[in-house]
Amino acid sequence: MDEKELIKIARQVQPNAYVPYSHFSVGAALLTARQNVYTGVNVENSSYGLTVCAERNAVFKAISEGEKQFEAIAVAGSAEGFTYPCGACLQVLAEFNPDLKIIVCDRQNNIKVHSLRELLPQMFLL
Ligand code: THU
């Protein structure tokens, strides 16, 4: 599974996002060590603070299915430019792999690849 393929999967699920408030949809695709892919979309709520981002939904699906070794996550958002995971999602991802590969794209599907450590250098770990 290469970076472009993982972004393609994130793009495919992005329309499933439930975003009546922000109208900003995000799709995520999380690749596990067993080479399975778990997707997630953002799910908003009228009580805004209850919104869950696409990345965390993908992580929670994978954990729920018994997988917690993650290699990469791809994120596709509806912005013109690159959509990056928020700080809260980076912290949740760091729990499982501080060196996770993070693949982001812009609306033209140009791709950038980062490590989680690069985006959240002072992550909180016990
Ligand atoms: N959002 C995500 O799902 N992932 C990100 O990486 C950034 C933000 C969502 C949360 C909210 O539903 C909408 O985007 C606007 O903030």
Side-chain angles (χ1 to χ4, degrees):
M1 170 78 55
D2 70 15
E3 291 148 7
K4 270 191 163 30
E5 284 176 282
L6 206 56
I7 283 289
K8 192 175 166 196
I9 296 169
R11 275 275 179 240
Q12 278 168 351
V13 297
Q14 187 190 344
N16 296 336
Y18 178 73
V19 289
Y21 305 104
S22 74
H23 303 288
F24 189 91
S25 59
V26 183
L30 180 66
L31 178 67
T32 71
R34 292 187 212 153
Q35 302 298 292
N36 291 321
V37 176
Y38 293 88
T39 59
V41 296
N42 49 334
V43 180
E44 299 186 341
N45 190 269
S46 56
S47 178
Y48 298 163
L50 299 182
T51 291
V52 181
C53 293
E55 298 89 327
R56 271 176 291 157
N57 276 327
V59 171
F60 298 156
K61 276 169 74 176
I63 298 291
S64 299
E65 295 301 320
E67 294 211 52
K68 41 178 152 333
Q69 281 182 277
F70 305 144
E71 289 187 354
I73 190 166
V75 182
S78 52
E80 176 64 37
F82 291 86
T83 296
Y84 280 86
C86 75
C89 287
L90 290 173
Q91 177 65 34
V92 168
L93 290 163
E95 180 78 18
F96 301 101
N97 182 0
D99 295 304
L100 187 74
K101 186 195 276 195
I102 298 188
I103 307 155
V104 293
C105 65
D106 64 10
R107 200 178 285 161
Q108 281 70 49
N109 289 334
N110 297 305
I111 284 174
K112 283 189 192 174
V113 181
H114 298 272
S115 76
L116 199 160
R117 230 176 254 288
E118 187 188 338
L119 300 183
L120 194 67
Q122 303 298 335
M123 62 188 75
F124 180 78
L125 294 172
L126 287 179

